[in-house]
């Protein structure tokens, strides 16, 4: 029998090896992160870490003062010594446009060379956060609203020079990256939420296309009229950025408490938003909640199973390829008009050995010239006032991109709580669970607020402000 | 893996002499060939060095991180037991502990019964056994993410294969992944589907080592298939069952792939938020490295305890005679 045993042990050992191999192939994060980190370390621009033996703490403490005195204007202080900086981004489609910005800047400041590095989204935040301790942190990076609180609370970002003028940017975007009066990011681009509609379904039902002046009641009436056996009039969902938060803005109620610790959906006025979204399912003009939980709203719309749904400006391009013509309008108004605006920013890491040079690049990125250069790539709506027409012109389909740009005037910034964005996924999951269970709207709102509060409390980034 | 290596392999001392002697001997051959131990050390060295650096030293580092407030910033303070207080005190981690144990409890027995039954059936296959074996192993080498997409489609409430199939028997369509009771079952099912093939191969290997005359003798004594299986095959296979149980405990206790693939947000009412899920969340979503390390330490101890107790049980209650026990891990 010992042969039997040894045989089992041996085959088990082989299988365990196989498992590790399979796990390595399928691992969504772990292995890739290390790979990416070491990749970054071996990059030629990794030189940043070697050439200053000074204490990093002392550096970051004095950084803001130095840069205020130092980087006055772009181009006036070529120190003769050439400096290499690294900037990480997560969108492979924008590597070229971002490198073009770096090259254009290099023309003005030949002493500064910036390399754009692409990291996959799955690894991006983990690498960015751990790279400081690993000693291979990038000098510059893309930042988004949901991850900003973590970086801000851990002092990982460099405060912008006073000389950088952010007045040409939408206030909501500047505010997104300002905390306690410290400006930490230059707005890069933005997206807003609008309503997309299937023109074929409208034509078939003989209903007039929606307009920018619609109200909630108009949407509810049209949705009921458009509902047939094949397709629903509207696709309702519990997504926060596209559905719940914009609807909350339209109620006129605030989203977060001033201290950023509470999500105020349980306020009776704010909760009208939930009642509004639920009304479509209640009267049968939208698919039930389990359907949209199993198949995402954009997929249902693409399959022609709903005449209208809410989504971001980033869908304006892709919907041109759909099997039916698609239009877009601003979101219907409730107590007021409104939507949610979110945008990325460029930021500098506080750990950089070259704060002045990094700040000089940020200053360049805040100029109309740089923002126009980015807009011409057609990938995103540049944040700088007056550069948006380029994006509108670049859209392939029949969609009027202007509606997403006009929407900014009434938009509230994507809410940034005193905790990372997991509070949104936690609260959002609770909402959909409650809705599937058929709870009444007041309960849904109370549970959503409770789930958010628990999550924010558990993951709070700082006890200050 | 440490749990498996706690007991020295005594069988190794009874050297299995390789039939090297038939080949013409190199003058210095004795120096290497004669000393198996030296050879084995040499061959093992590269992987052992990797193991020590990337697992054991890293594990030690993890324990260090677990008592710190490391969040990515250069300044790190030691915070003592704070992270462990979170790991045992926070509602989310306690729920994760329960969810993990529930997943292990569902996956281990199911996959063992399924794997053993399939192995018994496959043993009778005379031709084309390789086909069934590879078919069964296929899910194990499929990327969890890709498999997850397929499973999501199969489980869709309106047009998924599962509901369509059940519909033939008059069963009402069910939203598998939207329901807090069925979502963990779906994850358990997918985990079993992925790894049972591996168990079948191991069981088959062990079945082949049972001498045919034992069964023949049993038949002469009038034992039926059921009696042969429960009285002869199963007891003789007990060590293999234990090894497979440990494998499935590791797989299901540490698993994350099928959970993330089926319910990326942790499932309805957080039903699929296991310890693995919480670790991932603390690491990548909230950047609380200390908490993630503490949760990982807890998970490591838990899985080692579960795996170790399975091996201990199999040694405690199954008697093979002195010689055979040595072959056990």
């Amino acid at each position: 029998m010992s042969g039997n045993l040894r045989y089992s042990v041996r085959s088990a050992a082989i299988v365990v090896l196989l498992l590790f191999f399979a796990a390595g192939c399928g691992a969504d994060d772990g292995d890739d992160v290390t790979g990416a980190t070491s990749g970054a370390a071996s990059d030629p621009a990794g030189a940043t870490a070697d050439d200053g033996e000074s204490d990093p703490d002392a550096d970051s403490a004095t950084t803001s003062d130095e840069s205020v005195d130092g980087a006055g204007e772009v181009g006036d202080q070529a120190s003769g010594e050439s400096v290499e900086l690294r900037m990480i981004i997560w969108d492979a489609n924008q590597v070229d446009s971002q490198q073009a910005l770096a090259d254009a800047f290099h023309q003005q400041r030949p002493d500064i060379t910036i390399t754009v590095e692409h990291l996959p989204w799955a690894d991006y935040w983990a690498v960015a956060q751990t790279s400081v301790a690993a000693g291979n942190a990038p000098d510059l990076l893309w930042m988004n609203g949901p991850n900003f609180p973590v970086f801000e609370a851990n002092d990982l970002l460099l405060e912008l020079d006073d000389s950088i003028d952010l007045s040409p940017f939408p206030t909501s975007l500047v505010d997104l990256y300002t905390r306690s009066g410290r400006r930490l990011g230059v707005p890069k681009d933005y997206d807003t939420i609008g309503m997309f509609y299937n023109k074929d379904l409208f034509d078939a039902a003989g209903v007039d296309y929606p307009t920018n002046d619609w109200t909630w009641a108009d949407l509810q009436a049209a949705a009921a009229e458009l509902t047939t056996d094949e397709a629903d009039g509207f696709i309702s969902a519990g997504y926060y950025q596209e559905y719940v938060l914009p609807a909350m803005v339209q109620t006129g109620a605030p989203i977060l408490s001033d201290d950023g610790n509470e999500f105020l959906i349980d306020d009776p006025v704010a909760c009208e938003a939930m009642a509004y979204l639920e009304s479509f399912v209640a009267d049968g003009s939208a698919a039930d909640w389990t359907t949209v939980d199993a198949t995402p709203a954009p997929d249902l719309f693409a399959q022609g199973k709903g005449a209208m749904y809410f989504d971001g400006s980033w869908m304006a391009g892709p919907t041109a390829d759909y099997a039916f013509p698609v239009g877009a309008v601003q979101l219907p108004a409730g107590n007021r008009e409104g939507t949610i605006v979110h945008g990325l920013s460029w930021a500098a890491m506080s750990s950089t050995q070259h704060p002045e040079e990094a700040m000089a690049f940020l200053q360049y990125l805040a100029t109309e010239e740089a923002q126009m250069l980015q807009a011409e790539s057609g990938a995103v709506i540049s944040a700088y006032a007056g550069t948006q027409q380029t994006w509108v012109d670049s859209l392939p389909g029949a969609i009027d991109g202007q509606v997403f740009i006009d929407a900014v005037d009434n938009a509230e910034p994507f809410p940034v709580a005193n905790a990372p964005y997991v509070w949104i996924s936690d609260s959002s999951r609770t909402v959909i669970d409650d809705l599937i269970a058929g709870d009444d709207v007041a309960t849904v709102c109370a549970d959503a607020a409770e789930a958010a509060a628990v999550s924010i409390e558990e993951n709070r980034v700082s006890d200050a402000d | 893996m440490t749990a498996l290596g706690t007991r020295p392999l005594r069988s190794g001392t009874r050297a299995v002499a390789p039939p090297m002697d038939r080949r013409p001997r190199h003058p210095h051959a004795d120096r290497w060939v004669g000393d198996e131990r030296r050879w084995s050390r040499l061959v093992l060295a590269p992987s052992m060095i990797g193991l020590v650096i990337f697992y054991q030293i890293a594990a030690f580092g993890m324990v260090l991180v677990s008592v710190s407030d490391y969040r990515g910033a250069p300044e790190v303070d030691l915070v003592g037991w704070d992270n462990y207080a979170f790991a045992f005190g926070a509602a989310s981690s306690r729920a994760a502990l329960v969810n993990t144990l529930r997943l292990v409890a569902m996956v281990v027995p199911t996959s063992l019964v399924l794997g053993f039954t399939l192995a018994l059936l496959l043993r009778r296959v005379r031709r084309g056994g390789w086909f069934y074996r590879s078919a069964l192993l296929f899910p194990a080498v499929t990327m969890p993410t890709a498999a997850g997409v397929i499973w999501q489609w199969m489980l869709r409430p309106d047009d998924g294969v599962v509901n369509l199939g059940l519909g033939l028997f008059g069963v009402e369509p069910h939203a598998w992944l939207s329901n807090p009771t069925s979502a963990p079952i779906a994850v358990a099912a997918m985990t079993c589907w992925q790894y049972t093939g591996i168990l079948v191969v191991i069981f088959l290997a062990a079945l082949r080592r049972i001498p045919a005359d034992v069964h023949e003798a049993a038949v002469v004594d009038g034992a039926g298939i059921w009696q042969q299986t429960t009285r002869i095959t199963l007891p003789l296979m007990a060590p293999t069952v234990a090894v497979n149980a440990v494998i499935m405990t590791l797989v299901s206790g540490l698993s994350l792939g099928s959970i993330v693939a089926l319910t990326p947000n942790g499932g309805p009412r957080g039903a699929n938020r296991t310890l693995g899920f919480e670790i991932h969340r603390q690491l990548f979503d909230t950047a609380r490295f200390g908490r993630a390390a503490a949760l990982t330490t807890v998970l490591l101890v838990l899985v080692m305890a579960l795996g170790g107790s399975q091996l201990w049980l199999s040694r405690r209650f199954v008697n093979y005679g002195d010689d055979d026990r040595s072959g056990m891990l």
Side-chain angles (χ1 to χ4, degrees):
Chain A
M1 274 319 299
S2 69
N4 180 5
L5 295 166
R6 240 194 341 266
Y7 204 82
S8 316
V9 170
R10 208 179 301 158
S11 26
I14 290 167
V15 163
V16 166
L17 280 175
L18 249 174
L19 281 180
F20 275 117
F21 180 70
C25 294
D28 27 14
D29 296 281
D31 292 357
D32 299 351
V33 172
T34 22
T37 316
S38 52
S42 64
D43 187 273
T48 39
D50 315 341
D51 52 3
E53 288 292 2
S54 57
D55 177 14
D57 292 0
D59 253 338
S60 54
T62 55
T63 291
S64 45
D65 298 340
E66 279 174 12
S67 38
V68 170
D69 305 335
E73 284 185 309
V74 178
D76 71 348
Q77 45 141 212
S79 54
E81 203 172 320
S82 78
V83 169
E84 290 184 357
L85 302 179
R86 293 162 53 224
M87 176 163 84
I88 55 169
I89 70 171
W90 63 75
D91 185 354
N93 297 321
Q94 291 189 53
V95 172
D96 289 345
S97 72
Q98 301 298 294
Q99 188 62 54
L101 288 172
D103 295 344
F105 176 66
H106 183 69
Q107 299 291 318
Q108 297 183 10
R109 286 286 300 267
D111 57 320
I112 305 175
T113 309
I114 295 157
T115 317
V116 175
E117 290 173 17
H118 167 245
L119 283 179
W121 171 258
D123 306 338
Y124 187 86
W125 298 106
V127 170
Q129 280 154 11
T130 51
S131 59
V132 178
N136 56 13
D139 304 280
L140 298 137
L141 81 169
W142 280 5
M143 182 56 53
N144 70 0
N147 284 283
F148 173 68
V150 179
F151 282 76
E152 191 272 339
N154 293 336
D155 254 339
L156 295 177
L157 301 179
L158 212 55
E159 189 175 350
L160 297 188
D161 276 5
D162 292 340
S163 60
I164 296 183
D165 178 18
L166 296 185
S167 62
F169 296 96
T171 327
S172 47
L173 290 183
V174 177
D175 290 349
L176 190 56
Y177 298 103
T178 302
R179 192 105 180 187
S180 314
R182 299 169 72 223
R183 305 178 309 161
L184 298 161
V186 171
K188 173 186 175 299
D189 55 39
Y190 67 76
D191 50 69
T192 60
I193 308 300
M195 185 169 84
F196 291 77
Y197 61 96
N198 180 331
K199 290 185 178 174
D200 281 356
L201 291 177
F202 271 80
D203 294 343
V207 178
D208 289 341
Y209 293 156
T211 69
N212 288 331
D213 302 323
W214 268 23
T215 62
W216 287 5
D218 292 328
L219 175 59
Q220 285 160 328
E225 211 175 332
L226 283 156
T227 301
T228 63
D229 289 343
E230 285 78 40
D232 298 306
F234 183 66
I235 302 165
S236 198
Y239 310 144
Y240 271 30
Q241 189 179 0
E242 294 90 350
Y243 284 83
V244 176
L245 298 177
M248 266 180 94
V249 173
Q250 290 148 20
T251 65
I255 295 176
L256 290 174
S257 61
D258 289 338
D259 60 7
N261 289 335
E262 280 163 73
F263 178 49
L264 303 173
I265 185 76
D266 53 345
D267 172 84
V269 178
C271 192
E272 288 172 15
M274 201 64 80
Y276 163 57
L277 296 173
E278 214 278 327
S279 70
F280 300 98
V281 178
D283 72 7
S285 56
D288 58 28
W289 297 108
T290 50
T291 304
V292 78
D293 190 35
T295 313
D299 294 358
L300 288 172
F301 182 74
Q303 294 161 13
K305 289 186 178 161
M308 297 174 279
Y309 90 116
F310 301 159
D311 212 333
S313 49
W314 58 84
M315 288 305 287
T319 49
D321 297 331
Y322 286 6
F324 47 83
V326 177
V329 290
Q330 289 183 28
L331 294 177
N335 299 331
R336 55 162 280 202
E337 292 189 333
T339 186
I340 288 284
V341 59
H342 174 250
L344 308 183
S345 68
W346 287 292
M349 297 285 280
S350 56
S351 58
T352 178
Q353 300 287 322
H354 305 286
E356 288 171 31
E357 287 81 0
M359 202 48 68
F361 185 51
L362 288 183
Q363 182 153 35
Y364 169 72
L365 291 172
T367 62
E368 184 173 7
E369 178 197 335
Q371 296 265 333
M372 192 59 104
L373 191 60
Q374 175 184 246
E376 280 160 11
S377 73
V380 291
I381 312 178
S382 273
Y384 197 95
T387 60
Q388 287 79 26
Q389 190 58 40
T390 320
W391 176 77
V392 174
D393 295 341
S394 76
L395 286 180
I399 285 185
D400 177 15
Q402 192 62 38
V403 301
F404 295 101
I405 288 151
D406 293 342
V408 176
D409 300 337
N410 300 316
E412 294 289 328
F414 189 88
V416 173
N418 200 12
Y421 67 98
V422 286
W423 72 269
I424 288 185
S425 45
D426 289 353
S427 183
S428 169
R429 185 65 238 176
T430 304
V431 165
I432 195 75
D433 286 339
D434 278 6
L435 289 171
I436 287 172
D439 290 343
D440 64 279
V441 170
T443 310
V444 176
C445 290
D447 288 353
E450 166 75 13
V454 167
S455 185
I456 293 172
E457 171 66 25
E458 198 171 84
N459 301 300
R460 191 181 298 185
V461 287
S462 70
D463 296 321
D465 71 298
Chain B
M1 292 294 87
T2 355
L4 299 176
T6 42
R7 216 150 158 256
L9 264 168
R10 238 206 298 156
S11 60
T13 53
R14 286 178 288 131
V16 191
M20 288 263 186
D21 307 299
R22 284 186 212 134
R23 293 167 50 195
R25 292 184 134 233
H26 190 272
H28 301 296
D30 281 349
R31 271 178 63 192
W32 289 105
V33 179
D35 193 342
E36 254 190 59
R37 254 186 254 166
R38 204 185 295 184
W39 256 115
S40 65
R41 272 182 211 148
L42 190 75
V43 175
L44 277 175
S47 54
M48 288 316 277
I49 291 168
L51 209 62
V52 167
I53 293 176
F54 292 110
Y55 285 91
Q56 292 175 355
I57 294 181
F60 181 71
M62 181 191 76
V63 175
L64 272 185
V65 171
S66 76
V67 294
S68 79
D69 67 350
Y70 179 54
R71 284 177 177 189
E75 299 82 19
V76 179
D77 291 322
L78 293 183
V79 293
W81 297 106
D82 280 10
N83 293 322
Y84 288 93
F86 173 85
F88 290 107
S92 62
S93 349
R94 279 197 300 221
L97 190 66
V98 174
N99 291 340
T100 309
L101 289 172
R102 185 178 53 196
L103 185 63
V104 173
M106 283 194 289
V107 167
V108 175
T110 316
S111 59
L112 285 180
V113 170
L114 215 65
F116 188 68
T117 314
L118 283 170
L120 284 177
L121 292 174
L122 268 183
R123 203 189 171 208
R124 316 218 158 232
V125 173
R126 294 265 170 249
R127 297 177 61 134
W130 63 270
F131 171 77
Y132 296 101
R133 281 198 302 275
S134 356
L136 281 167
L137 271 178
F138 197 69
V141 292
T142 308
M143 257 178 63
T145 343
V149 173
I150 299 168
W151 273 75
Q152 262 186 346
W153 276 79
M154 296 201 309
L155 293 171
R156 268 159 56 147
D158 43 356
D159 54 358
V161 193
V162 174
N163 276 351
L164 291 181
L166 288 173
L168 296 178
F169 301 96
V171 179
E172 286 288 305
H174 180 73
W176 295 94
L177 299 175
S178 299
N179 178 297
T181 313
S182 60
I185 297 176
V187 169
M190 185 179 152
T191 312
C192 288
W193 167 83
Q194 271 190 292
Y195 297 104
T196 300
I198 290 172
L199 302 196
V200 172
V201 172
I202 300 175
F203 276 134
L204 263 180
L207 276 174
R208 295 233 165 88
R209 308 292 288 196
I210 299 178
D213 49 2
V214 180
H215 283 287
E216 280 159 18
V219 173
V220 169
D221 288 345
I225 292 280
W226 177 251
Q227 277 170 315
Q228 284 185 45
T229 307
T230 53
R231 300 284 174 83
I232 299 172
T233 317
L234 210 49
L236 289 179
M237 299 260 291
T240 315
V241 174
V243 168
N244 278 345
V246 171
I247 289 177
M248 288 313 288
T249 304
L250 290 175
V251 163
S252 56
L254 305 174
S255 79
L256 188 58
S258 46
I259 294 168
V260 173
L262 289 182
T263 51
N265 52 14
R269 306 279 177 218
N272 286 343
R273 288 175 59 169
T274 58
L275 280 172
F277 185 91
E278 292 300 316
I279 291 165
H280 185 274
R281 182 179 146 108
Q282 291 295 339
L283 205 55
F284 296 106
D285 294 343
T286 69
R288 297 284 190 118
F289 296 83
R291 286 179 176 179
L295 285 169
T296 309
T297 311
V298 170
L299 179 58
L300 184 74
V301 171
L302 179 76
V303 170
M304 275 172 63
L306 283 176
S309 61
Q310 282 157 358
L311 289 178
W312 179 81
L313 275 176
S314 80
R315 275 209 295 271
R316 176 75 180 72
F317 294 110
V318 183
N319 190 8
Y320 322 103
D322 280 346
D323 182 48
D324 292 336
R325 224 191 276 182
S326 62
M328 201 48 230
L329 286 162

